[in-house]
Amino acid sequence: MRGTLSEKILAAHLVEGELVPGQEIGLRIDQTLTQDSTGTMAYLQLEAIGVPRVRTELSVAYVDHNTLQAGPESADDHRYLQTVAAKYGVFFSRPGNGICHQVHLERFGVPGKTLLGSDSHTPTAGGIGMLGIGAGGLDVACAMAGAPYHIACPSVIGVRLVGQLGDWVSAKDIILEVLRRLTVRGGVGRLVEYFGPGVAGLSVPERATITNMGAELGATSSIFPSDERTREFLAAEGRDSSWVPLAAEADAAYEDVLEIDLSSLEPLVATPHSPDAVVPVGELVGRRVDQVCIGSCTNSSYRDMMLVAEVLRGRRVSPSTSLTISPGSRQVLSMLARNGALADMIAAGARVLEAACGPCIGMGQAPVTDGVSLRSFNRNFEGRSGTPGAQVYLASPEVCATAAVAGVFADPRELGPAPAIALPARFEIDDSMILPPAPEGADVEIVRGPNIKPIPTRGPLSDVVEFEVLLKVGDNITTDHISPAGAKYLPLRSNVPALAEHVFESIDPGFAARALEKGGGAVVGGANYGQGSSREHAAMCPLHLGVQAVLAKSFARIHKANLVNFGILPLEIDEADYESLSVGDVLRIEGAQAAVESGTATVHNLTQQKSFTAALRLSPREAKVLQAGGTLNYVRQSQL
Ligand code: MIC
Ligand code: SF4
């Protein structure tokens, strides 16, 4: 990684360890962000850690996920977040102000700094040359309390961009091409750094589309240099003083380099049910589209919205298709309202939603039964839209808007020359929906609604652990499978006992009841277990049900960290042992305390009367955390 931009930022923030890929490092975190569906737990954890005020340079609490408010739960949670933020020194971005990643890029991101966020798309900040990393809420709470953030030092791969994008081809097509080549596992343990002559042609919001969706590669983060385009963007946000130039050295050593000739790209689409199942739009032309949803933290910038408005101007949404549009921030929405673009959208028949995550996380707008939904979002995991049989496709705002008008998949290049969208010289700046914290927190009273239930914890790891296999699943299981999101479940994010009833519901509706009845057990998974969202509920809820271990071929980075944080053993097994394990097998590990230290556990399958070894790939710190029964116990012991 010598000479890479990633190395420079990592080195400047390194407080523990060495920059050797695979080894654990501790990083100083400059800024944090939380959003509401992971934030309540993060702040309960911050309260439990017991520091009086946050110790970061800047921390922001956003409300953007749970804005449906079908009952009082979410509004109660928002009130809790507002009061806890005021008390602990955290800025509070009110519901309606926009999606955390978009607003953070606009108003707070700083090139060269580190940002830890309790949301997997925190790498959006890489669009501005900031190192943004997604993590579980507990890790973010520790960072707010001033502790370093620990990760396995990633390796750095380069993506060299050359050439220029053609008409109707945009940033989304670049990241879909990277996904097509690297797959949803291709970024695990890696930082993805963009460089080359093609970079200068991309504005910050376009770069942010690419770094945002780097999360779908499983990458630790993605980053662009900070250059003249970055300066322009920051100047337009009235934040010139935050700009610093940053780039890799000319002879930077990447682990691997992928080259993409932008002029050779065409409009692409990710097909159900994975962001890496990418095909050219041409393969789908003419197929029915029931619903189009434009927005999300991937594609909701001023540039994207203006492009959509240009396509819709003077046209009508097809009578057989429903079009929703959610602008990424109040800044974007307000500018569209003033310049008339919003009127064009409304006249075309778009259903304009508030500036929030909305349909991306299944908060409303579930498609028709077995419907085809085309979205400018970043995830098309099965069931995430709220309609079990729906077929969800992902594409650029260009492809989405064209399909909304045509009622079928269509190639936007058929529309003639593409509109040129310039960044405004000055964005509309109004931070009145970002509430600063109280100058002295001591007097602020925290308001807790009845939905907020305590965080589950467990005692220190027993030396002999015995558990039954409760469920066996395949590869690429997402945290959406483990702890579903959407309108029915998100209001329960502060109430682990209630949310836990739905663990693995879409795969095995009887899972939660069985786990409780048996007093816990284990889950067997395939490769890349726990990909997707950073939600630590995918560890906390199984913990509440008594799950002691997950045995999988491999784990996604954030989920594995969350398992460790909540004292669940992440055991890696090989293909043959995966094949041989069955639901109902009773497994036993003797000497578990020593096993987490040595990194190898001998697992006795009492049912099948045989033994096998499983790896516990843990840093010495993680081993101690597991021995203590989770991070909260460990942090309290080590007196942060
Ligand atoms: C998502 O896109 O899945 C989410 C909802 O933003 C999650 C966070 C969550 O589950 O609350 C994420 O990406 O981390
Ligand atoms: Fe919100 Fe969707 Fe972005 Fe997650 S991916 S932060 S749900 S807009």
Side-chain angles (χ1 to χ4, degrees), residues 35 64-65 99-101 119-121 212 295-298 356-358 360-361 377-379 384:
Q35 41 89 338
D64 51 4
H65 283 63
I99 306 175
C100 54
H101 308 301
D119 190 281
S120 63
H121 290 103
N212 169 285
S296 92
C297 54
T298 318
C357 301
C360 177
I361 194 58
F377 306 166
N378 48 39
R379 290 189 172 141
R384 183 174 161 106

Side-chain angles (χ1 to χ4, degrees), residues 381-454:
F381 303 149
E382 201 166 1
R384 183 174 161 106
S385 66
T387 299
Q391 304 287 310
V392 179
Y393 294 76
L394 307 172
S396 64
E398 285 85 341
V399 170
C400 289
T402 311
V405 172
V408 291
F409 281 97
D411 190 330
R413 290 172 297 184
E414 307 278 303
L415 293 180
I421 313 288
L423 269 193
R426 186 88 178 170
F427 289 102
E428 198 178 297
I429 297 159
D430 170 8
D431 289 334
S432 58
M433 283 180 76
I434 301 174
L435 308 180
E440 305 282 337
D443 298 340
V444 179
E445 196 199 324
I446 297 177
V447 184
R448 280 169 233 275
N451 187 42
I452 297 187
K453 296 283 186 285

Side-chain angles (χ1 to χ4, degrees), residues 441-485:
D443 298 340
V444 179
E445 196 199 324
I446 297 177
V447 184
R448 280 169 233 275
N451 187 42
I452 297 187
K453 296 283 186 285
I455 311 153
T457 48
R458 86 169 5 140
L461 178 68
S462 321
D463 208 31
V464 179
V465 281
E466 196 173 297
F467 39 78
E468 181 176 330
V469 176
L470 299 167
L471 177 72
K472 183 173 174 179
V473 290
D475 291 347
N476 294 324
I477 286 296
T478 70
T479 44
D480 279 41
H481 289 113
I482 307 170
S483 179

Side-chain angles (χ1 to χ4, degrees), residues 141-174:
C142 291
M144 286 193 276
Y149 174 56
H150 295 98
I151 37 164
C153 177
S155 59
V156 184
I157 60 166
V159 180
R160 182 164 188 271
L161 303 179
V162 299
Q164 272 202 324
L165 291 171
D167 267 10
W168 300 105
V169 183
S170 63
K172 182 62 152 270
D173 301 305
I174 303 178

